[in-house]
Amino acid sequence: MSTYPPTQCGLATFTSALLRGLTRAGSGVSAGVVRVVDSPVMSSSPEVVAQLRTRSTRGHGVAAEALNTFDVAVVQHEYGIYGGQDGDQVLSVLDEVRVPVVVVAHTVLARPTSHQRQVLEQVTRAAAAVVTMTHAARDRLVNGYTVNADKVVVIPHGAPVRSGPYLRLPGQRPLILTWGLLGPGKGIEWAIDAMHHVRRVTPSPAYIVAGQTHPRVRQLHGETYRLHLAERARIVGVTNNVRFEGAYMDEPSLTRLIRRADVVLLPYDSREQVTSGVLVEAVAAGIPVVATAFPHATELLSGGAGLVVPHGDSAAIGAALLRVLTEPGLAQQMSTEASRLSPTLLWPAVAARYQSLAAELLANRTVALG
């Protein structure tokens, strides 16, 4: 149960990739999706077996009934995707689910409101297992919430296989890349300011910000944020270094762009972010990373696959980019460490972990039922 394409959000992308990994040829797994939607929509995807309408007070029964037709239910949890206060609609669904539930906790807040804490604790109580995607998230959940620690397992966020040669041709400008849905909080302002510190590298680097404006941001504010960023680049004097790719990019196009990148830049403002799909994809692709010190970056890059810098510090971001682009051997060391991590982060390996967890829950249930 989750948002699902054509909805554009990180959870929808995650769920689609996990579903493909679980049902890959030879896996012996069949799966379906209860799609979370604001309003009912026609679906041409045969795997979508039901819809949970966030604006309805009655849809939870239909969603639960659909989940109960499977052996195990995997429920993606994010406060913002379900209806009700802090997404507490999900509790009504879980109350009626009779099969083992795996809850995937995408956000674990360090300072939740009392109601946010209550919702997440109730969600975990209804689960047979709770997945966090980093050890930082697990520690925060176990130490900061009333949760059965024995239920909580760490399975990393998955990444697609993006094998292939480095695509930048001799003489081409070095490429710094940020991708993903665009909106306030991504910290692109600091990245643009940081380009002032690296623009004199020869040849002068290009910084590409690839991705559409987040649909909910666009609905409320149009393209105001992107226009603000373009104006900032003009003021800083790096218009020739910064390019926005706002059109939809299919998977092959994104793969080609990533294979051209010299460094992936994640200048996020959030200090809460315990999971970043873009970070995992960058590391799995073997690309050096510069990221602000959000928890997932601090954990995943600790072995040397990237550099971690303070939040909102354009000078520190610029200095880190300069090191990656000019310091002999550093980028290669980062790529080597990223390649060491990569096999455990690819979707086939991640989906196999979920399949093993589901098998374990079913075996335990059989024993319990005698």
Side-chain angles (χ1 to χ4, degrees):
M1 184 167 71
S2 175
T3 54
Y4 193 72
T7 299
Q8 295 176 342
C9 72
L11 262 71
T13 302
F14 177 97
T15 301
S16 177
L18 177 58
L19 187 79
R20 290 196 303 272
L22 287 170
T23 58
R24 66 196 182 280
S27 69
V29 173
S30 60
V33 177
V34 175
R35 184 182 175 205
V36 180
V37 295
D38 291 335
S39 302
V41 295
M42 294 295 294
S43 176
S44 59
S45 302
E47 68 273 19
V48 175
V49 297
Q51 296 181 3
L52 174 64
R53 294 162 54 188
T54 62
R55 296 171 181 165
S56 170
T57 58
R58 301 180 181 179
H60 57 274
V62 173
E65 182 179 349
L67 292 173
N68 285 331
T69 64
F70 294 87
D71 296 307
V72 175
V74 179
V75 174
Q76 310 297 333
H77 181 259
E78 178 69 80
Y79 292 106
I81 69 167
Y82 298 104
Q85 183 183 356
D86 297 320
D88 60 6
Q89 178 193 36
V90 70
L91 300 176
S92 298
V93 180
L94 292 174
D95 282 345
E96 299 184 29
V97 176
R98 301 292 173 252
V99 298
V101 173
V102 177
V103 166
V104 185
H106 287 260
T107 296
V108 183
L109 299 173
R111 291 175 291 277
T113 66
S114 60
H115 190 256
Q116 287 171 333
R117 178 186 300 279
Q118 179 185 4
V119 169
L120 186 53
E121 289 178 347
Q122 288 185 246
V123 166
T124 60
R125 278 198 292 274
V130 179
V131 173
T132 65
M133 285 171 270
T134 63
H135 291 281
R138 185 187 190 280
D139 291 345
R140 183 180 288 183
L141 182 61
V142 168
N143 297 326
Y145 295 74
T146 302
V147 174
N148 181 351
D150 293 337
K151 288 184 178 182
V152 186
V153 297
V154 178
I155 300 177
H157 193 296
V161 178
R162 288 197 168 102
S163 57
Y166 178 54
L167 295 180
R168 180 160 64 87
L169 299 174
Q172 278 189 323
R173 303 168 71 182
L175 175 60
I176 301 163
L177 175 63
T178 298
W179 83 88
L181 292 174
L182 188 64
K186 293 290 188 179
I188 308 299
E189 299 90 337
W190 313 114
I192 289 172
D193 291 353
M195 292 305 297
H196 178 79
H197 300 277
V198 299
R199 71 189 193 284
R200 298 195 186 280
V201 171
T202 303
S204 184
Y207 176 42
I208 293 180
V209 181
Q212 296 174 300
T213 298
H214 194 289
R216 292 192 176 180
V217 173
R218 188 169 59 243
Q219 183 179 17
L220 293 173
H221 306 291
E223 294 292 344
T224 301
Y225 182 61
R226 190 185 301 273
L227 294 172
H228 158 72
L229 294 174
E231 176 62 11
R232 189 167 185 132
R234 187 191 67 78
I235 292 171
V236 174
V238 294
T239 299
N240 292 333
N241 299 89
V242 179
R243 187 166 90 241
F244 296 94
E245 297 281 359
Y248 171 75
M249 203 169 277
D250 60 22
E251 192 64 25
S253 299
L254 180 58
T255 295
R256 286 193 295 272
L257 183 60
I258 292 171
R259 299 309 307 172
R260 280 178 49 209
D262 294 89
V263 54
V264 170
L265 175 57
L266 306 179
Y268 301 162
D269 289 329
S270 174
R271 289 168 166 79
E272 293 273 9
Q273 192 158 352
V274 290
T275 303
S276 168
V278 174
L279 172 63
V280 171
E281 291 191 38
V283 172
I287 311 298
V289 176
V290 171
T292 49
F294 56 91
H296 195 181
T298 300
E299 179 176 317
L300 190 58
L301 303 180
S302 62
L307 299 176
V308 176
V309 298
H311 291 274
D313 190 335
S314 59
I317 294 172
L321 291 173
L322 198 60
R323 285 191 63 196
V324 177
L325 294 175
T326 64
E327 188 173 312
L330 179 60
Q332 183 56 55
Q333 291 172 20
M334 291 179 172
S335 293
T336 299
E337 172 60 15
S339 297
R340 184 186 70 80
L341 297 172
S342 179
T344 62
L345 302 176
L346 298 176
W347 274 117
V350 170
R353 295 275 302 276
Y354 277 91
Q355 189 173 349
S356 295
L357 176 59
E360 180 183 339
L361 295 179
L362 288 173
N364 291 343
R365 189 186 196 207
T366 300
V367 170
L369 292 175

